[in-house]
Amino acid sequence: MIDNKNFFLEDEHGGDLLEAQKKYKDVSEWIDLSSGINPHPYKDFKLAKSIYNSLPSGQAIRELLSAAAVYYKLKDDSSIIAYQGAQGLINIFPYIFSEIKKKKVQVYYPTYIEHYKSWVNAGYTIKLIDSFEKEIDPSGITIIVNPNNPDGKLFNKDALIVLQNRIQEKNGLLIIDESFMDPTPDEKFNYSIEKKNLIIIRSFGKFFGLPGLRLGFAFGDHKYINQISNFIGPWPISSSSIDIALKAMSDIQWIKQTINQLEILSKDMELTLNAINIPIIGGTLLFKLVKFEDAGKIHNLLAKDGIWTRKFIYNNNWLRLGIPKDRVELNYLFNSMQNILK
């Protein structure tokens, strides 16, 4: 177990291709595999030119939340809110729940570093845990990313229910970040309104390939969702986010086809990496975590070939690769890695 390691505060994100372009000026074309975003975004929408001429209506927001509740298979009386991305929710949580200010914050690691940063920056002391069966204090705040980022670990659903029951009994708070869950909906936490002391975070942009919309959702215990709603105010998301997400989350055919497409792309990537003996530590249908003796060196050499990947300051053996959008990109990745590893 590791407590309060500063390297989590120093780690960098993927997705900022401009930084790569500044550093590797000789590269003219890029394949961005750094962020774990669906490379085939939802495109079946048109925005009216007047969409930004007025504030989002309460009715429009309610319609989106109803569509999201159906998409996430929630019951009609479930509490759900929308905000500016899953990251936006992660940022504000430490400042909302004032009654738990003195409680321990426990984050399952290694994981998405912003869960650590947001609470540390708000003045909390963080305990990093690698097992929630025994290590946690159920009266505190426990944060789990499922599937986990960056290794894609899926937690046992029954074990999570046992954990939630323990936390509810001790009046703690369980936060489950399911930002990468959309391609594997059968693995989601089986939420019902009887389950208290629980918040589940979902990301819209990752699966639908539209991270620039900055849209995320949270649902769970009415007490906490109501506090979040009061904190974020009456117009938490844009009119364009509402219009696009309302259509996308209701497009059942596109959703099914996209899951199938990602399954094929993911399998092809696994076969390609196996063919050149690159160890796959884990992953999801949107990214793979691979292992090298010096991942930082491989990251740099791939960048010189125009492939941008995600490295980790806290583990120089890890490299995360998003799913290439087609066989052309996958073959280019294969050839580049094969040449590097000769």
Side-chain angles (χ1 to χ4, degrees), residues 61-124:
I61 293 174
R62 287 190 292 273
E63 288 177 2
L64 173 60
L65 294 180
S66 294
V70 172
Y71 176 72
Y72 295 129
K73 295 181 171 56
L74 305 179
K75 295 181 179 179
D76 291 341
D77 48 2
S78 298
S79 295
I80 181 170
I81 56 96
Y83 194 56
Q84 300 159 16
Q87 179 61 57
L89 290 164
I90 292 167
N91 288 343
I92 64 175
F93 279 3
Y95 303 96
I96 296 176
F97 311 124
S98 58
E99 75 274 14
I100 57 176
K101 182 70 177 178
K102 295 182 179 180
K103 293 193 174 186
K104 294 179 181 177
V105 178
Q106 303 149 119
V107 180
Y108 183 92
Y109 87 101
T111 196
Y112 181 56
I113 57 173
E114 293 299 330
H115 284 291
Y116 179 84
K117 286 184 178 181
S118 64
W119 293 89
V120 167
N121 291 338
Y124 288 79

Side-chain angles (χ1 to χ4, degrees), residues 30-45:
W30 285 93
I31 297 174
D32 186 4
L33 304 181
S34 67
S35 61
I37 303 296
N38 182 359
H40 295 278
Y42 187 78
K43 297 179 180 179
D44 189 17
F45 60 86

Side-chain angles (χ1 to χ4, degrees), residues 233-247:
W235 303 292
I237 54 176
S238 69
S239 297
S240 55
S241 295
I242 295 170
D243 273 25
I244 294 170
L246 185 58
K247 193 169 193 311

Side-chain angles (χ1 to χ4, degrees), residues 3-238:
D3 288 285
N4 300 329
K5 290 297 183 180
N6 289 332
F7 51 57
F8 277 104
L9 297 176
E10 299 166 359
D11 202 22
E12 301 171 352
H13 291 288
D16 194 345
L17 192 57
L18 183 60
E19 290 302 312
Q21 292 168 341
K22 289 179 180 178
K23 185 174 181 179
Y24 302 92
K25 295 180 180 179
D26 293 335
V27 179
S28 58
E29 295 185 21
W30 285 93
I31 297 174
D32 186 4
L33 304 181
S34 67
S35 61
I37 303 296
N38 182 359
H40 295 278
Y42 187 78
K43 297 179 180 179
D44 189 17
F45 60 86
K46 292 182 180 179
L47 295 176
K49 292 181 180 179
S50 61
I51 192 167
Y52 297 115
N53 292 357
S54 58
L55 291 167
S57 70
Q59 177 63 28
I61 293 174
R62 287 190 292 273
E63 288 177 2
L64 173 60
L65 294 180
S66 294
V70 172
Y71 176 72
Y72 295 129
K73 295 181 171 56
L74 305 179
K75 295 181 179 179
D76 291 341
D77 48 2
S78 298
S79 295
I80 181 170
I81 56 96
Y83 194 56
Q84 300 159 16
Q87 179 61 57
L89 290 164
I90 292 167
N91 288 343
I92 64 175
F93 279 3
Y95 303 96
I96 296 176
F97 311 124
S98 58
E99 75 274 14
I100 57 176
K101 182 70 177 178
K102 295 182 179 180
K103 293 193 174 186
K104 294 179 181 177
V105 178
Q106 303 149 119
V107 180
Y108 183 92
Y109 87 101
T111 196
Y112 181 56
I113 57 173
E114 293 299 330
H115 284 291
Y116 179 84
K117 286 184 178 181
S118 64
W119 293 89
V120 167
N121 291 338
Y124 288 79
T125 299
I126 311 301
K127 178 181 180 182
L128 298 175
I129 58 173
D130 57 14
S131 170
F132 59 76
E133 285 84 357
K134 296 180 180 179
E135 283 189 25
I136 75 154
D137 174 0
S139 68
I141 305 161
T142 303
I143 301 170
I144 294 172
V145 179
N146 187 42
N148 193 36
N149 176 16
D151 62 8
K153 177 178 178 178
L154 277 166
F155 293 87
N156 180 276
K157 290 192 288 186
D158 291 336
L160 285 177
I161 290 174
V162 170
L163 174 64
Q164 186 274 324
N165 287 335
R166 288 176 60 200
I167 289 172
Q168 182 171 328
E169 288 174 2
K170 297 296 183 180
N171 198 31
L173 175 61
L174 174 61
I175 299 173
I176 304 177
D177 181 350
E178 293 187 339
S179 288
F180 283 100
M181 187 62 78
D182 295 53
T184 51
D186 292 342
E187 300 295 335
K188 70 181 181 67
F189 185 88
N190 293 320
Y191 171 73
S192 64
I193 60 171
E194 294 79 19
K195 299 186 186 304
K196 307 297 183 183
N197 303 76
L198 170 69
I199 300 171
I200 296 176
I201 301 171
R202 297 295 293 255
S203 165
F204 173 83
K206 291 179 176 61
F207 174 69
F208 289 96
L210 299 170
L213 276 188
R214 308 311 306 136
L215 179 62
F217 297 88
F219 54 87
D221 189 328
H222 174 75
K223 178 179 73 172
Y224 292 112
I225 299 302
N226 191 49
Q227 288 181 34
I228 300 169
S229 180
N230 290 336
F231 186 90
I232 63 180
W235 303 292
I237 54 176
S238 69

Side-chain angles (χ1 to χ4, degrees), residues 228-289:
I228 300 169
S229 180
N230 290 336
F231 186 90
I232 63 180
W235 303 292
I237 54 176
S238 69
S239 297
S240 55
S241 295
I242 295 170
D243 273 25
I244 294 170
L246 185 58
K247 193 169 193 311
M249 299 180 92
S250 303
D251 194 335
I252 297 174
Q253 183 178 2
W254 185 91
I255 292 166
K256 289 181 178 179
Q257 289 176 344
T258 299
I259 291 175
N260 182 63
Q261 182 182 39
L262 289 173
E263 288 173 344
I264 294 170
L265 291 172
S266 175
K267 186 62 177 178
D268 286 347
M269 187 177 189
E270 289 177 0
L271 292 172
T272 298
L273 295 173
N274 289 335
I276 45 179
N277 299 314
I278 295 176
I280 302 173
I281 299 173
T284 70
L285 295 186
L286 290 170
F287 64 80
K288 303 299 173 190
L289 184 68

